[in-house]
Amino acid sequence: MKSCNAMKDLKDHTREELREIFRSLGEPAYREQQVFRWMARGVESVGDMTDLPARLRDALSECFAFGTLEVEREQVSKSDGTRKFLFRLPDGQKVEAVFMKYSYGNTLCLSTQVGCAMGCRFCASGIDGKIRDLAAWEMLYQYTACLAKTGEPVSHIVLMGMGEPFDNYGEVSKFLHAMHDPDGIGMSYRNMTVSTCGLVPGILQFSLDFPQAGLAVSLHAASQEERLAIMPVAQAWPLEELIEACKTYTERTRRRITFEYALISGANDDDAHALQLAELLKGMLCHVNLIPLNPVSDIALAGSSRDRAVRFAETLERKGIPATVRRQLGSDIDAACGQLRRNTL
Ligand code: SAH
């Protein structure tokens, strides 16, 4: 078998590819469903797939790698039950996931890459650039490991951890399909949200591939010039094109976009910025999520005060733009994107 030599991870295969593997092994077609179900439950080795015959387990173990995620570190917030996990991947790289309790259900924030190539000036994840993409199964296993560790149900996932999901579109899309698959987790696309720094082709493709899923766009500034100063991605995809893509997304999906806006003291947080933002988003089906910037060591930017954030939200609301100041969950446990990993490098 070709894959035998490559020692590719068994979980790196799509369901169609698995079907092909079992066909070539002369196994009945239902083996594929059995194996897929085990993987969606986060099984740690082929040996644990107890409804497979021993000879098949041996053959699969010989032919395929089967990596797992180790919990390297776990932090639990004393104030709100937020739990942050640092995972070690099979090659020793590390990624983070965060478990949060919201009124509408428990939510997991998952990573899509090790590091990030986008270079947003305020973000800890991108300081050392992108190390590598995550495989779809490495996203799935963040989910299954969090479930096993917390013992609590999870109703929503957000791809807002380390990495830019649309810079790893293929694996992210495989992962979302596996989460939705009734043989997998069976989660509704409506409960999945992908967050992007503004990769326009990704937004447009996503609107066609996952019209029921949620989209969050990290805006952080209301003019091209100010956005470019903190988000290099604005060079490739200027604000005007980004807003156009968001409008196309809404036309196609009828879904409300969440715009993320990190308030940076003295940079993007005064009333004039709020008015400019309201003007930019006028008439759009959207919601603005405001969050005072989380402090990151090595980055000399400070978050706005809670009062400033509330005033900013009020200005937006007065102009007809729905806005909320996000509850700052887990601020006692390095909850800002990419911080836990950096602090343990
Ligand atoms: N790459 C994607 C998703 C990962 S970042 C994106 O950019 O949307 C998740 C969110 O956290 C983004 O809105 C990002 O801009 C924001 N973020 C990063 N560093 C932050 C910090 N120090 N304080 C507050 N928000 C931050």
Side-chain angles (χ1 to χ4, degrees), residues 116-122 164 166-167 196-201 203 217-220 224 227-239 241-242:
C116 183
M118 299 297 121
C120 299
R121 304 269 183 259
F122 46 81
E164 165 53 41
F166 291 161
D167 186 35
T196 180
C197 64
L199 294 185
V200 165
I203 293 173
V217 174
S218 300
L219 205 53
H220 305 321
Q224 167 64 8
R227 194 160 188 269
L228 191 54
I230 50 174
M231 300 179 75
V233 67
Q235 186 78 55
W237 306 109
L239 185 60
E241 285 179 48
L242 173 59

PDB file of all heavy atoms in Angstrom, residues 116-122 164 166-167 196-201 203 217-220 224 227-239 241-242:
ATOM      1  N   CYS A 116       1.523  32.300  13.426  1.00  0.00           N
ATOM      2  CA  CYS A 116       0.633  32.945  12.457  1.00  0.00           C
ATOM      3  C   CYS A 116       1.469  33.840  11.555  1.00  0.00           C
ATOM      4  O   CYS A 116       2.419  34.477  12.011  1.00  0.00           O
ATOM      5  CB  CYS A 116      -0.412  33.788  13.200  1.00  0.00           C
ATOM      6  SG  CYS A 116      -1.624  34.559  12.103  1.00  0.00           S
ATOM      7  N   ALA A 117       1.104  33.875  10.274  1.00  0.00           N
ATOM      8  CA  ALA A 117       1.893  34.653   9.303  1.00  0.00           C
ATOM      9  C   ALA A 117       1.379  36.077   9.144  1.00  0.00           C
ATOM     10  O   ALA A 117       1.972  36.858   8.416  1.00  0.00           O
ATOM     11  CB  ALA A 117       1.853  33.940   7.956  1.00  0.00           C
ATOM     12  N   MET A 118       0.271  36.425   9.825  1.00  0.00           N
ATOM     13  CA  MET A 118      -0.398  37.683   9.510  1.00  0.00           C
ATOM     14  C   MET A 118       0.267  38.913  10.136  1.00  0.00           C
ATOM     15  O   MET A 118       0.113  40.020   9.658  1.00  0.00           O
ATOM     16  CB  MET A 118      -1.878  37.606   9.913  1.00  0.00           C
ATOM     17  CG  MET A 118      -2.643  36.512   9.184  1.00  0.00           C
ATOM     18  SD  MET A 118      -2.699  36.771   7.393  1.00  0.00           S
ATOM     19  CE  MET A 118      -1.925  35.286   6.792  1.00  0.00           C
ATOM     20  N   GLY A 119       0.974  38.699  11.244  1.00  0.00           N
ATOM     21  CA  GLY A 119       1.796  39.777  11.818  1.00  0.00           C
ATOM     22  C   GLY A 119       1.043  40.966  12.407  1.00  0.00           C
ATOM     23  O   GLY A 119       1.588  42.077  12.427  1.00  0.00           O
ATOM     24  N   CYS A 120      -0.195  40.776  12.887  1.00  0.00           N
ATOM     25  CA  CYS A 120      -0.903  41.883  13.537  1.00  0.00           C
ATOM     26  C   CYS A 120      -0.037  42.377  14.707  1.00  0.00           C
ATOM     27  O   CYS A 120       0.476  41.574  15.487  1.00  0.00           O
ATOM     28  CB  CYS A 120      -2.273  41.434  14.047  1.00  0.00           C
ATOM     29  SG  CYS A 120      -3.363  40.843  12.741  1.00  0.00           S
ATOM     30  N   ARG A 121       0.128  43.687  14.788  1.00  0.00           N
ATOM     31  CA  ARG A 121       1.112  44.267  15.717  1.00  0.00           C
ATOM     32  C   ARG A 121       0.814  44.004  17.193  1.00  0.00           C
ATOM     33  O   ARG A 121       1.696  44.104  18.039  1.00  0.00           O
ATOM     34  CB  ARG A 121       1.198  45.779  15.517  1.00  0.00           C
ATOM     35  CG  ARG A 121       1.524  46.191  14.114  1.00  0.00           C
ATOM     36  CD  ARG A 121       3.031  46.326  13.884  1.00  0.00           C
ATOM     37  NE  ARG A 121       3.290  46.791  12.529  1.00  0.00           N
ATOM     38  CZ  ARG A 121       3.668  46.006  11.519  1.00  0.00           C
ATOM     39  NH1 ARG A 121       3.860  44.711  11.713  1.00  0.00           N
ATOM     40  NH2 ARG A 121       3.871  46.505  10.315  1.00  0.00           N
ATOM     41  N   PHE A 122      -0.436  43.729  17.511  1.00  0.00           N
ATOM     42  CA  PHE A 122      -0.858  43.627  18.913  1.00  0.00           C
ATOM     43  C   PHE A 122      -0.999  42.174  19.377  1.00  0.00           C
ATOM     44  O   PHE A 122      -1.403  41.910  20.497  1.00  0.00           O
ATOM     45  CB  PHE A 122      -2.231  44.312  19.082  1.00  0.00           C
ATOM     46  CG  PHE A 122      -3.185  43.913  17.987  1.00  0.00           C
ATOM     47  CD1 PHE A 122      -3.880  42.718  18.048  1.00  0.00           C
ATOM     48  CD2 PHE A 122      -3.329  44.708  16.854  1.00  0.00           C
ATOM     49  CE1 PHE A 122      -4.713  42.316  17.025  1.00  0.00           C
ATOM     50  CE2 PHE A 122      -4.174  44.318  15.811  1.00  0.00           C
ATOM     51  CZ  PHE A 122      -4.863  43.115  15.905  1.00  0.00           C
ATOM     52  N   GLU A 164      -4.449  31.917  11.465  1.00  0.00           N
ATOM     53  CA  GLU A 164      -5.456  32.533  10.600  1.00  0.00           C
ATOM     54  C   GLU A 164      -6.162  31.400   9.839  1.00  0.00           C
ATOM     55  O   GLU A 164      -5.572  30.776   8.947  1.00  0.00           O
ATOM     56  CB  GLU A 164      -4.769  33.520   9.643  1.00  0.00           C
ATOM     57  CG  GLU A 164      -5.604  33.977   8.467  1.00  0.00           C
ATOM     58  CD  GLU A 164      -6.969  34.547   8.850  1.00  0.00           C
ATOM     59  OE1 GLU A 164      -7.080  35.299   9.834  1.00  0.00           O
ATOM     60  OE2 GLU A 164      -7.946  34.212   8.136  1.00  0.00           O
ATOM     61  N   PHE A 166      -8.276  31.173   7.454  1.00  0.00           N
ATOM     62  CA  PHE A 166      -8.367  31.195   5.987  1.00  0.00           C
ATOM     63  C   PHE A 166      -6.990  31.114   5.315  1.00  0.00           C
ATOM     64  O   PHE A 166      -6.905  31.067   4.095  1.00  0.00           O
ATOM     65  CB  PHE A 166      -9.139  32.439   5.517  1.00  0.00           C
ATOM     66  CG  PHE A 166     -10.614  32.377   5.866  1.00  0.00           C
ATOM     67  CD1 PHE A 166     -11.387  33.528   5.894  1.00  0.00           C
ATOM     68  CD2 PHE A 166     -11.230  31.169   6.153  1.00  0.00           C
ATOM     69  CE1 PHE A 166     -12.744  33.472   6.206  1.00  0.00           C
ATOM     70  CE2 PHE A 166     -12.589  31.099   6.471  1.00  0.00           C
ATOM     71  CZ  PHE A 166     -13.345  32.261   6.496  1.00  0.00           C
ATOM     72  N   ASP A 167      -5.925  31.096   6.124  1.00  0.00           N
ATOM     73  CA  ASP A 167      -4.585  30.810   5.590  1.00  0.00           C
ATOM     74  C   ASP A 167      -4.327  29.295   5.645  1.00  0.00           C
ATOM     75  O   ASP A 167      -3.254  28.821   5.295  1.00  0.00           O
ATOM     76  CB  ASP A 167      -3.545  31.585   6.422  1.00  0.00           C
ATOM     77  CG  ASP A 167      -2.133  31.476   5.848  1.00  0.00           C
ATOM     78  OD1 ASP A 167      -1.990  31.432   4.614  1.00  0.00           O
ATOM     79  OD2 ASP A 167      -1.172  31.414   6.642  1.00  0.00           O
ATOM     80  N   THR A 196     -11.566  35.752  10.996  1.00  0.00           N
ATOM     81  CA  THR A 196     -10.468  36.054  10.059  1.00  0.00           C
ATOM     82  C   THR A 196      -9.990  37.484  10.238  1.00  0.00           C
ATOM     83  O   THR A 196     -10.763  38.373  10.604  1.00  0.00           O
ATOM     84  CB  THR A 196     -10.924  35.851   8.596  1.00  0.00           C
ATOM     85  OG1 THR A 196      -9.828  36.161   7.724  1.00  0.00           O
ATOM     86  CG2 THR A 196     -12.115  36.724   8.232  1.00  0.00           C
ATOM     87  N   CYS A 197      -8.703  37.700   9.932  1.00  0.00           N
ATOM     88  CA  CYS A 197      -8.157  39.060   9.978  1.00  0.00           C
ATOM     89  C   CYS A 197      -8.502  39.808   8.696  1.00  0.00           C
ATOM     90  O   CYS A 197      -8.145  40.966   8.548  1.00  0.00           O
ATOM     91  CB  CYS A 197      -6.648  39.018  10.201  1.00  0.00           C
ATOM     92  SG  CYS A 197      -5.776  38.237   8.831  1.00  0.00           S
ATOM     93  N   GLY A 198      -9.166  39.116   7.753  1.00  0.00           N
ATOM     94  CA  GLY A 198      -9.628  39.826   6.559  1.00  0.00           C
ATOM     95  C   GLY A 198      -9.067  39.308   5.251  1.00  0.00           C
ATOM     96  O   GLY A 198      -8.801  40.096   4.343  1.00  0.00           O
ATOM     97  N   LEU A 199      -8.905  38.008   5.118  1.00  0.00           N
ATOM     98  CA  LEU A 199      -8.458  37.425   3.842  1.00  0.00           C
ATOM     99  C   LEU A 199      -9.680  37.311   2.926  1.00  0.00           C
ATOM    100  O   LEU A 199     -10.518  36.420   3.082  1.00  0.00           O
ATOM    101  CB  LEU A 199      -7.805  36.054   4.070  1.00  0.00           C
ATOM    102  CG  LEU A 199      -6.495  36.076   4.868  1.00  0.00           C
ATOM    103  CD1 LEU A 199      -5.878  34.686   4.938  1.00  0.00           C
ATOM    104  CD2 LEU A 199      -5.495  37.055   4.252  1.00  0.00           C
ATOM    105  N   VAL A 200      -9.761  38.227   1.978  1.00  0.00           N
ATOM    106  CA  VAL A 200     -10.959  38.364   1.145  1.00  0.00           C
ATOM    107  C   VAL A 200     -11.325  37.081   0.380  1.00  0.00           C
ATOM    108  O   VAL A 200     -12.481  36.657   0.408  1.00  0.00           O
ATOM    109  CB  VAL A 200     -10.804  39.591   0.209  1.00  0.00           C
ATOM    110  CG1 VAL A 200     -11.824  39.582  -0.915  1.00  0.00           C
ATOM    111  CG2 VAL A 200     -10.917  40.872   1.039  1.00  0.00           C
ATOM    112  N   PRO A 201     -10.382  36.412  -0.285  1.00  0.00           N
ATOM    113  CA  PRO A 201     -10.786  35.190  -1.014  1.00  0.00           C
ATOM    114  C   PRO A 201     -11.367  34.141  -0.081  1.00  0.00           C
ATOM    115  O   PRO A 201     -12.296  33.418  -0.449  1.00  0.00           O
ATOM    116  CB  PRO A 201      -9.473  34.691  -1.635  1.00  0.00           C
ATOM    117  CG  PRO A 201      -8.545  35.859  -1.613  1.00  0.00           C
ATOM    118  CD  PRO A 201      -8.953  36.708  -0.456  1.00  0.00           C
ATOM    119  N   ILE A 203     -13.063  34.701   2.717  1.00  0.00           N
ATOM    120  CA  ILE A 203     -14.424  35.117   3.105  1.00  0.00           C
ATOM    121  C   ILE A 203     -15.416  34.728   2.009  1.00  0.00           C
ATOM    122  O   ILE A 203     -16.491  34.178   2.281  1.00  0.00           O
ATOM    123  CB  ILE A 203     -14.470  36.643   3.363  1.00  0.00           C
ATOM    124  CG1 ILE A 203     -13.627  36.987   4.597  1.00  0.00           C
ATOM    125  CG2 ILE A 203     -15.905  37.138   3.513  1.00  0.00           C
ATOM    126  CD1 ILE A 203     -13.449  38.465   4.846  1.00  0.00           C
ATOM    127  N   VAL A 217     -15.011  38.999  11.777  1.00  0.00           N
ATOM    128  CA  VAL A 217     -13.941  39.676  11.039  1.00  0.00           C
ATOM    129  C   VAL A 217     -13.222  40.622  11.999  1.00  0.00           C
ATOM    130  O   VAL A 217     -13.854  41.466  12.635  1.00  0.00           O
ATOM    131  CB  VAL A 217     -14.512  40.458   9.831  1.00  0.00           C
ATOM    132  CG1 VAL A 217     -13.427  41.281   9.154  1.00  0.00           C
ATOM    133  CG2 VAL A 217     -15.153  39.499   8.831  1.00  0.00           C
ATOM    134  N   SER A 218     -11.910  40.457  12.095  1.00  0.00           N
ATOM    135  CA  SER A 218     -11.127  41.306  12.992  1.00  0.00           C
ATOM    136  C   SER A 218     -10.828  42.610  12.277  1.00  0.00           C
ATOM    137  O   SER A 218     -10.019  42.644  11.351  1.00  0.00           O
ATOM    138  CB  SER A 218      -9.829  40.591  13.367  1.00  0.00           C
ATOM    139  OG  SER A 218     -10.150  39.387  14.019  1.00  0.00           O
ATOM    140  N   LEU A 219     -11.493  43.661  12.695  1.00  0.00           N
ATOM    141  CA  LEU A 219     -11.409  44.943  11.987  1.00  0.00           C
ATOM    142  C   LEU A 219     -10.380  45.853  12.653  1.00  0.00           C
ATOM    143  O   LEU A 219      -9.413  46.267  12.047  1.00  0.00           O
ATOM    144  CB  LEU A 219     -12.806  45.577  11.993  1.00  0.00           C
ATOM    145  CG  LEU A 219     -13.135  46.567  10.899  1.00  0.00           C
ATOM    146  CD1 LEU A 219     -12.877  45.998   9.520  1.00  0.00           C
ATOM    147  CD2 LEU A 219     -14.608  46.985  11.031  1.00  0.00           C
ATOM    148  N   HIS A 220     -10.620  46.209  13.896  1.00  0.00           N
ATOM    149  CA  HIS A 220      -9.675  46.940  14.751  1.00  0.00           C
ATOM    150  C   HIS A 220      -9.357  48.363  14.316  1.00  0.00           C
ATOM    151  O   HIS A 220      -8.614  49.073  15.013  1.00  0.00           O
ATOM    152  CB  HIS A 220      -8.369  46.164  14.929  1.00  0.00           C
ATOM    153  CG  HIS A 220      -8.550  44.767  15.454  1.00  0.00           C
ATOM    154  ND1 HIS A 220      -9.468  44.446  16.421  1.00  0.00           N
ATOM    155  CD2 HIS A 220      -7.926  43.600  15.125  1.00  0.00           C
ATOM    156  CE1 HIS A 220      -9.401  43.141  16.673  1.00  0.00           C
ATOM    157  NE2 HIS A 220      -8.495  42.607  15.897  1.00  0.00           N
ATOM    158  N   GLN A 224      -8.407  52.749   6.248  1.00  0.00           N
ATOM    159  CA  GLN A 224      -7.344  51.922   5.657  1.00  0.00           C
ATOM    160  C   GLN A 224      -5.995  52.270   6.277  1.00  0.00           C
ATOM    161  O   GLN A 224      -5.215  51.383   6.628  1.00  0.00           O
ATOM    162  CB  GLN A 224      -7.324  52.126   4.135  1.00  0.00           C
ATOM    163  CG  GLN A 224      -6.095  51.585   3.406  1.00  0.00           C
ATOM    164  CD  GLN A 224      -5.952  50.057   3.493  1.00  0.00           C
ATOM    165  OE1 GLN A 224      -6.847  49.351   3.985  1.00  0.00           O
ATOM    166  NE2 GLN A 224      -4.814  49.548   3.051  1.00  0.00           N
ATOM    167  N   ARG A 227      -5.688  51.014   9.843  1.00  0.00           N
ATOM    168  CA  ARG A 227      -5.698  49.549   9.883  1.00  0.00           C
ATOM    169  C   ARG A 227      -4.341  49.015   9.429  1.00  0.00           C
ATOM    170  O   ARG A 227      -3.785  48.102  10.037  1.00  0.00           O
ATOM    171  CB  ARG A 227      -6.836  49.019   9.000  1.00  0.00           C
ATOM    172  CG  ARG A 227      -7.149  47.558   9.234  1.00  0.00           C
ATOM    173  CD  ARG A 227      -8.536  47.178   8.734  1.00  0.00           C
ATOM    174  NE  ARG A 227      -8.846  45.828   9.150  1.00  0.00           N
ATOM    175  CZ  ARG A 227      -8.591  44.742   8.424  1.00  0.00           C
ATOM    176  NH1 ARG A 227      -8.049  44.868   7.229  1.00  0.00           N
ATOM    177  NH2 ARG A 227      -8.880  43.547   8.900  1.00  0.00           N
ATOM    178  N   LEU A 228      -3.832  49.624   8.380  1.00  0.00           N
ATOM    179  CA  LEU A 228      -2.543  49.181   7.847  1.00  0.00           C
ATOM    180  C   LEU A 228      -1.426  49.344   8.884  1.00  0.00           C
ATOM    181  O   LEU A 228      -0.482  48.555   8.935  1.00  0.00           O
ATOM    182  CB  LEU A 228      -2.215  49.976   6.578  1.00  0.00           C
ATOM    183  CG  LEU A 228      -1.043  49.495   5.731  1.00  0.00           C
ATOM    184  CD1 LEU A 228      -1.197  48.029   5.350  1.00  0.00           C
ATOM    185  CD2 LEU A 228      -0.911  50.355   4.476  1.00  0.00           C
ATOM    186  N   ALA A 229      -1.560  50.342   9.733  1.00  0.00           N
ATOM    187  CA  ALA A 229      -0.528  50.585  10.751  1.00  0.00           C
ATOM    188  C   ALA A 229      -0.457  49.452  11.776  1.00  0.00           C
ATOM    189  O   ALA A 229       0.590  49.212  12.375  1.00  0.00           O
ATOM    190  CB  ALA A 229      -0.790  51.918  11.444  1.00  0.00           C
ATOM    191  N   ILE A 230      -1.570  48.722  11.979  1.00  0.00           N
ATOM    192  CA  ILE A 230      -1.542  47.635  12.970  1.00  0.00           C
ATOM    193  C   ILE A 230      -1.772  46.250  12.359  1.00  0.00           C
ATOM    194  O   ILE A 230      -1.474  45.243  12.994  1.00  0.00           O
ATOM    195  CB  ILE A 230      -2.584  47.865  14.111  1.00  0.00           C
ATOM    196  CG1 ILE A 230      -3.964  48.188  13.553  1.00  0.00           C
ATOM    197  CG2 ILE A 230      -2.100  48.946  15.067  1.00  0.00           C
ATOM    198  CD1 ILE A 230      -5.050  48.280  14.610  1.00  0.00           C
ATOM    199  N   MET A 231      -2.248  46.213  11.107  1.00  0.00           N
ATOM    200  CA  MET A 231      -2.530  44.920  10.473  1.00  0.00           C
ATOM    201  C   MET A 231      -1.959  44.878   9.055  1.00  0.00           C
ATOM    202  O   MET A 231      -2.595  45.364   8.099  1.00  0.00           O
ATOM    203  CB  MET A 231      -4.043  44.657  10.448  1.00  0.00           C
ATOM    204  CG  MET A 231      -4.662  44.631  11.832  1.00  0.00           C
ATOM    205  SD  MET A 231      -6.444  44.344  11.797  1.00  0.00           S
ATOM    206  CE  MET A 231      -6.524  42.596  11.432  1.00  0.00           C
ATOM    207  N   PRO A 232      -0.779  44.274   8.878  1.00  0.00           N
ATOM    208  CA  PRO A 232      -0.153  44.222   7.554  1.00  0.00           C
ATOM    209  C   PRO A 232      -1.039  43.602   6.474  1.00  0.00           C
ATOM    210  O   PRO A 232      -0.874  43.893   5.302  1.00  0.00           O
ATOM    211  CB  PRO A 232       1.093  43.364   7.786  1.00  0.00           C
ATOM    212  CG  PRO A 232       1.360  43.448   9.250  1.00  0.00           C
ATOM    213  CD  PRO A 232       0.044  43.663   9.921  1.00  0.00           C
ATOM    214  N   VAL A 233      -2.004  42.762   6.867  1.00  0.00           N
ATOM    215  CA  VAL A 233      -2.889  42.117   5.884  1.00  0.00           C
ATOM    216  C   VAL A 233      -3.655  43.154   5.062  1.00  0.00           C
ATOM    217  O   VAL A 233      -4.063  42.882   3.932  1.00  0.00           O
ATOM    218  CB  VAL A 233      -3.880  41.149   6.594  1.00  0.00           C
ATOM    219  CG1 VAL A 233      -4.875  41.898   7.466  1.00  0.00           C
ATOM    220  CG2 VAL A 233      -4.613  40.266   5.599  1.00  0.00           C
ATOM    221  N   ALA A 234      -3.798  44.361   5.605  1.00  0.00           N
ATOM    222  CA  ALA A 234      -4.529  45.416   4.897  1.00  0.00           C
ATOM    223  C   ALA A 234      -3.790  45.875   3.639  1.00  0.00           C
ATOM    224  O   ALA A 234      -4.367  46.528   2.775  1.00  0.00           O
ATOM    225  CB  ALA A 234      -4.788  46.604   5.827  1.00  0.00           C
ATOM    226  N   GLN A 235      -2.511  45.540   3.542  1.00  0.00           N
ATOM    227  CA  GLN A 235      -1.752  45.847   2.327  1.00  0.00           C
ATOM    228  C   GLN A 235      -2.307  45.025   1.166  1.00  0.00           C
ATOM    229  O   GLN A 235      -2.588  45.550   0.097  1.00  0.00           O
ATOM    230  CB  GLN A 235      -0.271  45.488   2.561  1.00  0.00           C
ATOM    231  CG  GLN A 235       0.667  45.877   1.438  1.00  0.00           C
ATOM    232  CD  GLN A 235       0.983  47.363   1.496  1.00  0.00           C
ATOM    233  OE1 GLN A 235       1.441  47.855   2.532  1.00  0.00           O
ATOM    234  NE2 GLN A 235       0.712  48.068   0.410  1.00  0.00           N
ATOM    235  N   ALA A 236      -2.457  43.735   1.390  1.00  0.00           N
ATOM    236  CA  ALA A 236      -2.956  42.852   0.334  1.00  0.00           C
ATOM    237  C   ALA A 236      -4.456  43.014   0.111  1.00  0.00           C
ATOM    238  O   ALA A 236      -4.935  42.927  -1.020  1.00  0.00           O
ATOM    239  CB  ALA A 236      -2.634  41.401   0.687  1.00  0.00           C
ATOM    240  N   TRP A 237      -5.202  43.212   1.196  1.00  0.00           N
ATOM    241  CA  TRP A 237      -6.655  43.293   1.109  1.00  0.00           C
ATOM    242  C   TRP A 237      -7.132  44.560   1.802  1.00  0.00           C
ATOM    243  O   TRP A 237      -7.491  44.534   2.977  1.00  0.00           O
ATOM    244  CB  TRP A 237      -7.302  42.038   1.727  1.00  0.00           C
ATOM    245  CG  TRP A 237      -6.757  40.781   1.111  1.00  0.00           C
ATOM    246  CD1 TRP A 237      -5.933  39.864   1.686  1.00  0.00           C
ATOM    247  CD2 TRP A 237      -6.965  40.349  -0.237  1.00  0.00           C
ATOM    248  NE1 TRP A 237      -5.606  38.879   0.789  1.00  0.00           N
ATOM    249  CE2 TRP A 237      -6.235  39.147  -0.407  1.00  0.00           C
ATOM    250  CE3 TRP A 237      -7.692  40.843  -1.318  1.00  0.00           C
ATOM    251  CZ2 TRP A 237      -6.204  38.447  -1.612  1.00  0.00           C
ATOM    252  CZ3 TRP A 237      -7.662  40.133  -2.514  1.00  0.00           C
ATOM    253  CH2 TRP A 237      -6.933  38.965  -2.647  1.00  0.00           C
ATOM    254  N   PRO A 238      -7.130  45.682   1.047  1.00  0.00           N
ATOM    255  CA  PRO A 238      -7.499  46.976   1.639  1.00  0.00           C
ATOM    256  C   PRO A 238      -8.912  46.958   2.229  1.00  0.00           C
ATOM    257  O   PRO A 238      -9.754  46.150   1.810  1.00  0.00           O
ATOM    258  CB  PRO A 238      -7.414  47.951   0.473  1.00  0.00           C
ATOM    259  CG  PRO A 238      -6.625  47.265  -0.577  1.00  0.00           C
ATOM    260  CD  PRO A 238      -6.791  45.791  -0.366  1.00  0.00           C
ATOM    261  N   LEU A 239      -9.129  47.878   3.148  1.00  0.00           N
ATOM    262  CA  LEU A 239     -10.392  47.935   3.886  1.00  0.00           C
ATOM    263  C   LEU A 239     -11.617  47.959   2.960  1.00  0.00           C
ATOM    264  O   LEU A 239     -12.600  47.265   3.203  1.00  0.00           O
ATOM    265  CB  LEU A 239     -10.385  49.181   4.800  1.00  0.00           C
ATOM    266  CG  LEU A 239     -11.568  49.337   5.726  1.00  0.00           C
ATOM    267  CD1 LEU A 239     -11.691  48.155   6.684  1.00  0.00           C
ATOM    268  CD2 LEU A 239     -11.446  50.641   6.531  1.00  0.00           C
ATOM    269  N   GLU A 241     -12.042  46.735  -0.020  1.00  0.00           N
ATOM    270  CA  GLU A 241     -12.316  45.404  -0.589  1.00  0.00           C
ATOM    271  C   GLU A 241     -12.844  44.446   0.470  1.00  0.00           C
ATOM    272  O   GLU A 241     -13.688  43.593   0.191  1.00  0.00           O
ATOM    273  CB  GLU A 241     -11.033  44.809  -1.197  1.00  0.00           C
ATOM    274  CG  GLU A 241     -10.659  45.438  -2.512  1.00  0.00           C
ATOM    275  CD  GLU A 241      -9.378  44.842  -3.083  1.00  0.00           C
ATOM    276  OE1 GLU A 241      -9.249  43.603  -3.136  1.00  0.00           O
ATOM    277  OE2 GLU A 241      -8.498  45.641  -3.461  1.00  0.00           O
ATOM    278  N   LEU A 242     -12.326  44.606   1.679  1.00  0.00           N
ATOM    279  CA  LEU A 242     -12.797  43.755   2.785  1.00  0.00           C
ATOM    280  C   LEU A 242     -14.277  43.998   3.057  1.00  0.00           C
ATOM    281  O   LEU A 242     -15.059  43.050   3.175  1.00  0.00           O
ATOM    282  CB  LEU A 242     -11.950  44.039   4.040  1.00  0.00           C
ATOM    283  CG  LEU A 242     -12.407  43.364   5.322  1.00  0.00           C
ATOM    284  CD1 LEU A 242     -12.423  41.840   5.180  1.00  0.00           C
ATOM    285  CD2 LEU A 242     -11.492  43.767   6.499  1.00  0.00           C
TER     286      LEU A 242
END
